[in-house]
Amino acid sequence: MKTKENKTLLMSFVILISFIAVIGIIGYFILSPSEMILQGEVEANEVRVSGKLAGRILELKAKEGETVEKGQLLVLIDSPEINAKAFQARSVQQAAQAVSNKAQNGARQETIEGAKEQYERAKAAADYATKSYQRMKNLFDKGVIAAQKFDEVEAQYKAAIAQQKAAKSQYDMALNGAQVEDKQAAIAKVNQAKGAVMEVSSYMNETKLVAPISGEISEIFPKVGELVGTGSPIMTIVDLNDIWVTFNVREDLLSKINMGNILTAKVPALGNKDVKLRVTYIKVLGSYATWKATKLTDEYDTKTFEVKAVPVDKVNGFRPGMSVIVNWTKLQK
C-alpha cells in the first residue's frame, strides 16, 4: 500500500515538473524578443529611349531582354514631313548659293562685252554730237543759222553726252560686279540656308534612335507601325552594372545604420545567398509622418528614411525587383 502511494506521489511530481517546464518554454518564446527584419528591393539605373520627332515606328532593331551597346541602332522612325522639309531646305540653300556665286563672280563675260559695245557706241555718238555742236555754235555765233536750229543741235548734244555717261556706268557695273553690301547680303542668305539645312539634318538624325547607354532592354512600349509623339518613350534600357538596394527604415531603427556601414543581407531569389552591401545614401522621404506610435503617453510621429546600399562585390544574377532581407536585430551598433 505504501509502495503504491509512493508511485502516485512520484507521478504527481513528474507531471508538475513537466508542466513547469512547458510553461517555462512557452514563456521563453513569448517573452523573448522576436527577430526584426528590414526588407529592401533591388533597383538599377534605367534610361528611356525617346525621340524629338513625331512619326510612325518603321522598325525595331532590338527585342525585350536583349543586351545592347551604347550607340547601337535601336529604332527607325518614318517622318514624311521631315523629309519634305529637308528637301525644301536643301533647295533654298542651292538657290542662295547660286545668288551668292553670281554676286561674288560678277557679271558674265557676255554681259561685260555687251555693256562695252553699248558704251563704245554711245561714246562715238557723243563725239559726233560734240563736233556737230561745236560747228553749229560757231555758225550761230556768226549769225549764219537760226537760234531754233542751234537749240536742236544743242539738245542732241546733251542727250548724247548723257547717254554716254549712262552706258559708261553700266559698263563699270559689269566690270566691278555687285556692290559689297550685295555680296555680304548674299553670303548671309547662304549662311541662313545652311543653318536651316543643319537644323533639319539634326531632326533627320532623330529618325534613327541609338542606345544612350549599354544595358539590357527591359521594356518596349509601341509596336511597329504605331504612331508616337514628340518625346514619347519607346523603350527602356536598364544598366545592370549600376545597381543598388533601397530600404525604407523608420527613424527609430536608424541607430544601427550609418553611412559606410556594411550590411549582410540575404536574397531569397538567389537561394538566400548572402551579399555584402555598403550604405551610401540616407535621406528622409518627406516632411510628413509615415508611421505613428500607439502609446498613450509620450506619443510622437516617426518619419521614414530612405536608405540606399550598393553591393560591395558584383552579385551574379542580381536583378531589379528582387527582395533583399537584412536581420536588424543582428546588426552591430
Side-chain angles (χ1 to χ4, degrees):
M1 189 72 179
K2 202 170 188 179
T3 303
K4 188 175 182 179
E5 289 179 355
N6 290 337
K7 288 183 178 180
T8 302
L9 183 61
L10 180 61
M11 287 295 295
S12 299
F13 180 74
V14 171
I15 292 173
L16 179 62
I17 294 300
S18 300
F19 179 76
I20 293 174
V22 170
I23 294 298
I25 292 173
I26 294 174
Y28 172 78
F29 284 106
I30 292 177
L31 297 177
S32 62
S34 59
E35 287 189 349
M36 181 178 295
I37 64 170
L38 299 178
Q39 181 174 345
E41 184 175 334
V42 179
E43 298 182 14
N45 180 33
E46 292 185 349
V47 176
R48 288 190 173 185
V49 179
S50 58
K52 298 179 182 179
L53 292 180
R56 199 172 298 277
I57 300 297
L58 187 63
E59 187 177 356
L60 295 172
K61 294 288 190 178
K63 299 180 180 179
E64 291 181 348
E66 183 178 339
T67 300
V68 297
E69 299 295 330
K70 182 178 180 180
Q72 181 177 332
L73 180 62
L74 300 179
V75 185
L76 294 179
I77 298 178
D78 182 26
S79 181
E81 296 82 2
I82 291 299
N83 293 332
K85 289 183 178 179
F87 178 79
Q88 181 182 4
R90 293 190 183 98
S91 299
V92 172
Q93 182 186 17
Q94 291 174 358
Q97 188 64 56
V99 172
S100 177
N101 292 339
K102 182 178 179 180
Q104 302 303 323
N105 297 332
R108 296 170 55 182
Q109 187 62 35
E110 295 84 348
T111 302
I112 296 175
E113 292 295 334
K116 181 180 180 182
E117 291 177 1
Q118 291 291 337
Y119 168 63
E120 290 178 349
R121 189 180 297 114
K123 185 175 181 298
D127 292 341
Y128 174 77
T130 301
K131 292 178 181 179
S132 297
Y133 171 75
Q134 292 294 336
R135 285 195 299 268
M136 290 300 177
K137 187 175 185 304
N138 292 331
L139 294 174
F140 176 72
D141 291 340
K142 295 176 181 179
V144 176
I145 61 174
Q148 182 178 357
K149 184 65 176 177
F150 176 72
D151 291 340
E152 292 176 357
V153 173
E154 185 178 22
Q156 293 175 358
Y157 161 71
K158 291 181 178 180
I161 294 299
Q163 189 172 2
Q164 178 191 8
K165 290 181 179 179
K168 181 66 165 60
S169 298
Q170 292 296 324
Y171 179 50
D172 290 340
M173 288 178 59
L175 287 176
N176 297 330
Q179 295 182 1
V180 176
E181 294 81 359
D182 294 334
K183 293 181 180 180
Q184 292 175 347
I187 294 175
K189 286 291 185 181
V190 171
N191 292 334
Q192 183 179 5
K194 286 182 178 179
V197 171
M198 292 175 62
E199 181 181 8
V200 174
S201 297
S202 67
Y203 281 113
M204 288 291 291
N205 293 334
E206 292 297 320
T207 61
K208 299 179 181 179
L209 303 183
V210 299
I213 62 171
S214 298
E216 182 180 293
I217 304 295
S218 62
E219 191 172 6
I220 298 178
F221 302 102
K223 306 295 183 183
V224 173
E226 290 186 354
L227 191 66
V228 294
T230 302
S232 298
I234 297 176
M235 60 179 61
T236 301
I237 302 177
V238 58
D239 185 0
L240 296 179
N241 292 320
D242 186 5
I243 206 164
W244 65 89
V245 180
T246 300
F247 300 93
N248 290 333
V249 184
R250 293 201 319 256
E251 64 176 313
D252 57 336
L253 302 179
L254 280 175
S255 59
K256 294 184 179 181
I257 300 178
N258 297 309
M259 292 288 290
N261 281 167
I262 302 297
L263 308 179
T264 300
K266 293 184 179 296
V267 185
L270 300 180
N272 285 326
K273 180 180 181 179
D274 288 337
V275 296
K276 298 291 185 180
L277 305 173
R278 178 182 291 107
V279 178
T280 59
Y281 177 91
I282 300 175
K283 184 180 180 182
V284 66
L285 283 178
S287 59
Y288 53 89
T290 55
W291 179 83
K292 291 188 176 181
T294 57
K295 296 180 181 180
L296 296 179
T297 59
D298 297 331
E299 184 175 347
Y300 66 95
D301 292 338
T302 305
K303 296 179 180 178
T304 298
F305 280 72
E306 182 180 46
V307 177
K308 292 183 180 180
V310 298
V312 175
D313 300 311
K314 185 176 181 179
V315 181
N316 294 327
F318 227 18
R319 300 188 66 84
M322 288 184 176
S323 297
V324 178
I325 307 300
V326 173
N327 191 327
W328 183 82
T329 57
K330 294 182 179 180
L331 290 179
Q332 299 293 329
K333 289 187 178 181

